[in-house]
Amino acid sequence: MKIHKGHHGNCCCGKIRGFGRRITPARHAVLDALSTRGEHLTAEDVFKASSRRYPNIGLATVYRTLELFTKLGMVSKFDTGDDKARYEFADGPHAKGHHHHLVCTSCRRIVDYTDFIKEEMDLLHKTEEGLSKKYGFKINSHVMQFYGLCRDCAR
Amino acid sequence: MKIHKGHHGNCCCGKIRGFGRRITPARHAVLDALSTRGEHLTAEDVFKASSRRYPNIGLATVYRTLELFTKLGMVSKFDTGDDKARYEFADGPHAKGHHHHLVCTSCRRIVDYTDFIKEEMDLLHKTEEGLSKKYGFKINSHVMQFYGLCRDCAR
DNA sequence: CATATAATTGAGAATAATTCTCAATTATGT
DNA sequence: ACATAATTGAGAATTATTCTCAATTATATG
Ligand SMILES: [Zn+2]
Ligand SMILES: [Zn+2]
Ligand SMILES: [Zn+2]
Ligand SMILES: [Zn+2]
């Protein structure tokens, strides 16, 4: 079986196997879809893209796979106010590609941004620490998103 | 018509009227539900609560009303990862009661917190300004949420 | 390699939150 | 009180997601 060229050139199979889960063509197809089709993909997007490489894949499998990858921390699932979940490869809070989203509430455009990420991270760390202590939560992730109108929609 | 005792003792009717929309018993019932039944309410929660005061209200009306109030900025709609939208009175980014959420991914408990809000606000302002300039977005709102395990679920 | 076993799959049905439709009702300005 | 447009309730429709289940397949083991 061909080695999957993962998100950052690494193979994700180890992570999957490490969890006692199997490597399958369907999962490979989803991985490929995520790495080649960009970000902010709906399940339907991923389904279409994976179907190209693996025409028999079922939509339910795509959902199951995305759920699995999300649980493994390889994928981040978020929503932007329409009623579809979005998926993209997760660059964890500490990784290089970590970014947040700017969403146009009119045309649904999504802009990734990394500006201020450093400051955000500092604050997020501080907050996580403080909240963990105060409320006894073990914090695993966060969502930070801005909503507004893009240039085109604003006028 | 009796004056509605709003969120902070003010009447919200002005805002509704100001938008050319009408004051109706259904809308009053939803306002009351939101102010007396607390926060993080699902549409179903709001429906049940409003039904007490106004038994004939329909679920679709509740949805329409919540959508209207959200558009008017009186209500904030958010989701916490299950597939139900949550609604609560909006204390705008600058208002006293503005808070963020800590969500337990296991039992779905939601904790409001206001700690670090000051610092968050400073950063958010800075970010909003920066992003507005750079991407031409007119930013109206943000979501900031932490996910993790509450004390009970963590052990 | 062949075999055994449990994980995974595809297809379609089922679910559930939300939106839509439409005739009937009602709030509001005059 | 009247005219008019907004709003409503009820139920049907929609749609993203999950579930079911028999068939297939990945992997470990010898
Ligand atoms: Zn736009
Ligand atoms: Zn992104
Ligand atoms: Zn919990
Ligand atoms: Zn809250």
Side-chain angles (χ1 to χ4, degrees), chain B residues 3 39 76 118:
Chain B
I3 300 284
E39 292 156 322
S76 98
K118 171 78 176 53

Side-chain angles (χ1 to χ4, degrees), chain B residues 39-40 78 88 99-101 110 112:
Chain B
E39 292 156 322
H40 322 141
F78 60 99
E88 63 187 15
H99 63 271
H100 290 155
H101 295 130
I110 303 171
D112 290 349

Side-chain angles (χ1 to χ4, degrees), chain A residues 137, chain B residues 103-110 148-154:
Chain A
F137 263 71
Chain B
V103 179
C104 176
T105 49
S106 166
C107 69
R108 294 282 147 206
R109 184 134 64 110
I110 303 171
L149 292 174
C150 74
R151 210 189 308 264
D152 296 342
C153 294

